[in-house]
Amino acid sequence: MLQSAIKSKAKGNISSVFAHLGASRPTLGPRFIDLKKSIAPKDPAVLQRAFDRLLNHLKKEAIEIRQRGSSVIPETDIKTIRANGGQLPESVAKEVKKRGAVVVRNIVDQALAVEYKDQIQKYIQRHPGIVGYPEDHPQAWEIYWATSQVAARSHPNFTATAVALNQLWHTHGNAPIDLTRNLIYCDRLRIRQPGDAKFALGGHIDGGSIERWEDPEYRQCYKKILQGQWEDYDPFDVTHRIEAEMDFYESPSGCSMFRIFQGWLALSKIEPNGGTLRVCPLIREQTAYFMMKPLLKEYLDKNDFMGAWPGRCQEITAEHHPHITDIMVSVSPVEPGDGVFWHCDLAHAVEPKNEMKSDSSVLYIPSTPICRRNSEYLRRQRDAFSLGLTPPDFPGNHCEKDFEDRAMPDHLTQAGKMGMGFAPFDEENDSLNSGQKQARRQHNQILGLTGS
Ligand SMILES: [Fe+2]
């Protein structure tokens, strides 16, 4: 049963995947020029006109973004989500669909979030030698199974938030995905010390890079953009993301799950300039920009996808994407227990320096609905958890293998057991559509669980 966890990635830290943190930039072979030519519209004027319209539109939107700064990112709180039947209020949902990011307040009580951090710090102190980045003074730690990390990931309010976010997406027909439930993806954490300037992540997008153009199924998501009709592109259509290949090249830190929203839960106060997240708050337009630009006539013969290399994150830079980097904003101040979430295609960065007098700390926790890909990874992640190994997507340091004070499967709540693949989801509920039923059935089979 635990065989699947044995295959581990090489040792390392968060820098393994970011070219700007030291990972090499692989070269692109000539076949990538052929790829460009095969997917660009036959008439180059079509894409050029679309790109010109986009630049005009961005110029107008940039005025509002510069005026409003961080406040363009919509926000809500867990009480409002619960009072609204588990959904984001319509006005907030509309803004999230435009901006691609949201702040959700009070997911966890402040005191509990502070307690989470305290527990993690003691765990780190009890076990000298845990690796992280930077190596000499880690700010991003290679730990996954601290008891409070495990508790936070299945906190009922976190689950409710993730489900509300999942449901901003939709499918055509009844594709095999269940957006009304959430699985748990186990990621690392950041405790960024005052003054730190090393854990600065430049602009990038998770979820693969060159695969967005190269994989025919992934490319389907962006069909309208690649046809020059970016105005009709729907960033929240999940249909072709379910089977999209996001990691052709076994990236050192490629994510095997489909993270519908990336996210973090704050464990400290974090202000703009406190080493917080920056995002480009226009999901449709920024996606159209980075997808179309390498295919414009002037770049069509260049062996270059502008920041996309096999096996690395898609980088977003002032050199190639000035209209995106110019309008990136930092998220508003957050308190311990608040969460920030951003769309899987949204360009984001981490501020260069923590200029606060206190640490800037988060648990990375995305939202990840039930679908085949996510259930398959969950099986491998469950095995790793049982053995205390590093989750299979992350560098195989296995720092926590022999820690007796790490979280164990027995510690999970019932919701935690379901989210981590130890307990089944009900497959036969009459309120489910055929796609949801199929996703749950598949899930229970993959995890070897009997449906209830
Ligand atoms: Fe990222």
Side-chain angles (χ1 to χ4, degrees):
M1 176 202 164
L2 300 182
Q3 284 300 313
S4 63
I6 305 302
K7 191 175 171 236
S8 294
K9 292 194 176 180
K11 291 185 180 188
N13 58 40
I14 201 167
S15 68
S16 318
V17 73
F18 291 104
H20 64 269
L21 291 184
S24 62
R25 290 187 167 96
T27 45
L28 292 176
R31 71 186 171 89
F32 287 101
I33 296 180
D34 298 338
L35 173 66
K36 279 187 172 185
K37 290 184 175 165
S38 71
I39 62 177
K42 292 288 162 271
D43 177 3
V46 170
L47 216 57
Q48 189 61 56
R49 279 197 299 268
F51 198 71
D52 292 344
R53 287 198 308 277
L54 178 64
L55 293 186
N56 264 332
H57 179 77
L58 279 168
K59 206 185 278 177
K60 288 179 205 143
E61 291 284 351
I63 297 169
E64 187 191 356
I65 293 170
R66 290 209 182 90
Q67 275 169 357
R68 294 181 53 200
S70 304
S71 71
V72 294
I73 301 170
E75 62 175 77
T76 186
D77 60 78
I78 188 64
K79 272 196 191 142
T80 307
I81 293 174
R82 290 209 176 270
N84 196 44
Q87 313 278 331
L88 295 189
E90 195 46 50
S91 57
V92 177
K94 195 170 159 230
E95 277 302 294
V96 180
K97 286 185 176 178
K98 174 171 179 168
R99 302 298 178 188
V102 61
V103 176
V104 182
R105 305 282 180 194
N106 296 311
I107 296 175
V108 169
D109 283 346
Q110 260 195 49
L112 181 59
V114 169
E115 220 175 273
Y116 282 166
K117 189 179 77 180
D118 188 51
Q119 187 274 326
I120 289 164
Q121 283 174 317
K122 287 181 178 146
Y123 184 68
I124 291 169
Q125 279 159 14
R126 276 198 299 276
H127 301 291
I130 297 175
V131 299
Y133 177 83
E135 281 170 30
D136 55 345
H137 193 207
Q139 317 284 319
W141 294 88
E142 293 294 319
I143 58 173
Y144 304 86
W145 309 126
T147 52
S148 51
Q149 269 176 302
V150 172
R153 292 174 190 136
S154 58
H155 189 290
N157 286 349
F158 193 92
T159 308
T161 303
V163 166
L165 292 171
N166 289 346
Q167 291 180 96
L168 293 177
W169 290 68
H170 64 92
T171 62
H172 287 308
N174 287 333
I177 188 163
D178 184 2
L179 299 164
T180 68
R181 291 290 181 274
N182 196 57
L183 302 177
I184 295 172
Y185 185 73
C186 302
D187 202 332
R188 33 168 102 81
L189 61 93
R190 170 187 99 207
I191 300 180
R192 196 173 183 195
Q193 299 302 327
D196 173 71
K198 283 195 174 162
F199 183 57
L201 298 184
H204 69 279
I205 299 161
D206 301 314
S209 58
I210 197 80
E211 291 86 349
R212 286 187 171 84
W213 294 271
E214 194 178 7
D215 175 49
E217 185 66 6
Y218 210 165
R219 200 162 66 226
Q220 279 285 312
C221 304
Y222 310 104
K223 191 171 154 196
K224 290 284 181 193
I225 293 174
L226 297 174
Q227 290 171 341
Q229 298 162 10
W230 62 266
E231 293 91 338
D232 298 329
Y233 165 62
D234 179 357
F236 290 87
D237 180 352
V238 80
T239 313
H240 293 287
R241 296 191 185 250
I242 299 170
E243 292 299 329
E245 181 51 74
M246 296 177 287
D247 190 15
F248 264 147
Y249 300 94
E250 297 195 7
S251 157
S253 192
C255 178
S256 301
M257 268 201 183
F258 168 43
R259 290 179 289 193
I260 213 160
F261 278 88
Q262 251 290 33
W264 51 245
L265 181 72
L267 298 188
S268 69
K269 179 193 266 297
I270 310 172
E271 293 166 351
N273 295 322
T276 198
L277 182 80
R278 289 174 64 72
V279 296
C280 176
L282 279 176
I283 182 63
R284 176 184 290 116
E285 292 82 351
Q286 58 113 56
T287 308
Y289 186 100
F290 77 77
M291 287 300 296
M292 283 197 286
K293 196 172 175 188
L295 305 180
L296 295 178
K297 194 176 173 209
E298 61 180 304
Y299 306 113
L300 207 51
D301 288 318
K302 293 203 169 93
N303 202 9
D304 180 7
F305 270 82
M306 301 184 170
W309 289 279
R312 298 285 179 269
C313 266
Q314 162 79 48
E315 294 198 337
I316 296 295
T317 60
E319 180 194 356
H320 294 306
H321 314 99
H323 296 83
I324 295 182
T325 55
D326 276 2
I327 55 169
M328 286 177 81
V329 296
S330 298
V331 299
S332 308
V334 295
E335 296 293 332
D338 294 343
V340 177
F341 300 87
W342 61 101
H343 184 287
C344 50
D345 284 342
L346 198 67
H348 57 286
V350 178
E351 288 179 341
K353 191 173 177 189
N354 175 10
E355 297 190 21
M356 298 188 301
K357 301 227 172 334
S358 51
D359 60 82
S360 172
S361 303
V362 305
L363 297 179
Y364 297 105
I365 321 178
S367 78
T368 41
I370 303 179
C371 59
R372 181 197 56 80
R373 163 194 311 280
N374 289 356
S375 303
E376 281 175 358
Y377 179 76
L378 196 73
R379 183 176 61 90
R380 296 194 289 137
Q381 180 184 266
R382 179 182 65 180
D383 294 351
F385 178 42
S386 297
L387 294 169
L389 301 177
T390 295
D393 267 354
F394 295 89
N397 303 296
H398 306 307
C399 297
E400 298 167 89
K401 189 162 54 81
D402 300 318
F403 297 176
E404 287 180 359
D405 54 347
R406 67 176 162 83
M408 304 284 176
D410 288 350
H411 299 160
L412 293 171
T413 58
Q414 182 58 20
K417 284 187 177 130
M418 290 169 82
M420 288 290 287
F422 290 93
F425 286 94
D426 173 13
E427 312 169 358
E428 295 308 332
N429 192 321
D430 285 344
S431 65
L432 301 174
N433 67 36
S434 61
Q436 291 168 323
K437 277 187 185 165
Q438 193 187 338
R440 289 193 190 189
R441 211 173 299 131
Q442 231 171 216
H443 174 86
N444 290 342
Q445 273 168 8
I446 290 167
L447 276 296
L449 304 163
T450 312
S452 55

